[in-house]
């Protein structure tokens, strides 16, 4: 089992940047593929990005491709989401998620992820 704690959210102007972090407990972090999802007010939770256990494979939603970058540091049990060129429509609560996987095949659906953090809020003002 793994516990996930997100941080780094906040208020930023459109065009600005934020870096989210997700710290994982436990000694088996490198056995998890990690994902970021987000949920805007009144909307369903949607996929943002995913990264394989080794960091060798990444997957992005079309809406963030070219602006967001997911990365991980297995030595620090942490996954990051660097968000650049932020837009008001990026406003949401961002969630970190984990699934046990040594595959390079990544998933963008919520049911594939077993473990979830509590979320960190990102607000982008226009």
């Amino acid at each position: 089992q793994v516990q996930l704690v997100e941080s780094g959210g906040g208020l930023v102007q459109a065009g600005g940047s934020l870096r989210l972090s997700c710290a994982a407990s436990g000694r088996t972090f490198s056995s998890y593929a990690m994902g970021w999802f987000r949920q805007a007010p009144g909307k369903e939770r949607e996929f943002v990005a995913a990264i394989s256990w080794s960091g060798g494979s990444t997957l992005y939603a079309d809406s963030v491709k070219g602006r967001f970058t997911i990365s991980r540091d297995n030595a620090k049990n942490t996954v990051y989401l660097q968000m650049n060129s932020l837009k008001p429509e990026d406003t949401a609560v961002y969630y970190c998620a984990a699934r046990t996987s040594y595959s390079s095949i990544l998933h963008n659906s919520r049911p594939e992820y077993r473990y979830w953090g509590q979320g960190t809020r990102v607000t982008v003002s226009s």
Side-chain angles (χ1 to χ4, degrees):
Q1 189 169 351
V2 62
Q3 293 184 326
L4 306 172
V5 179
E6 303 95 334
S7 62
L11 174 64
V12 63
Q13 289 188 333
S17 298
L18 280 176
R19 188 176 81 156
L20 306 183
S21 298
C22 172
S25 66
R27 294 177 290 181
T28 59
F29 178 71
S30 61
S31 66
Y32 293 96
M34 303 297 295
W36 285 97
F37 289 73
R38 67 186 182 186
Q39 188 166 15
K43 295 187 177 181
E44 293 191 354
R45 195 171 300 187
E46 65 175 5
F47 171 77
V48 176
I51 189 167
S52 62
W53 68 275
S54 66
S57 297
T58 57
L59 179 67
Y60 295 94
D62 288 343
S63 59
V64 307
K65 202 171 294 183
R67 299 188 299 122
F68 291 10
T69 302
I70 189 171
S71 61
R72 67 189 295 160
D73 185 339
N74 286 345
K76 295 183 177 180
N77 283 13
T78 302
V79 62
Y80 305 98
L81 185 68
Q82 177 66 45
M83 306 186 295
N84 298 329
S85 303
L86 283 161
K87 305 175 181 180
E89 51 263 43
D90 294 319
T91 295
V93 176
Y94 284 71
Y95 297 89
C96 175
R99 64 185 303 271
T100 304
S101 175
Y102 280 114
S103 171
S104 60
I105 299 174
L106 298 172
H107 299 272
N108 62 5
S109 62
R110 289 175 55 189
E112 293 288 345
Y113 293 83
R114 180 174 182 182
Y115 305 104
W116 292 83
Q118 294 300 307
T120 184
R121 186 174 301 276
V122 172
T123 303
V124 184
S125 63
S126 57

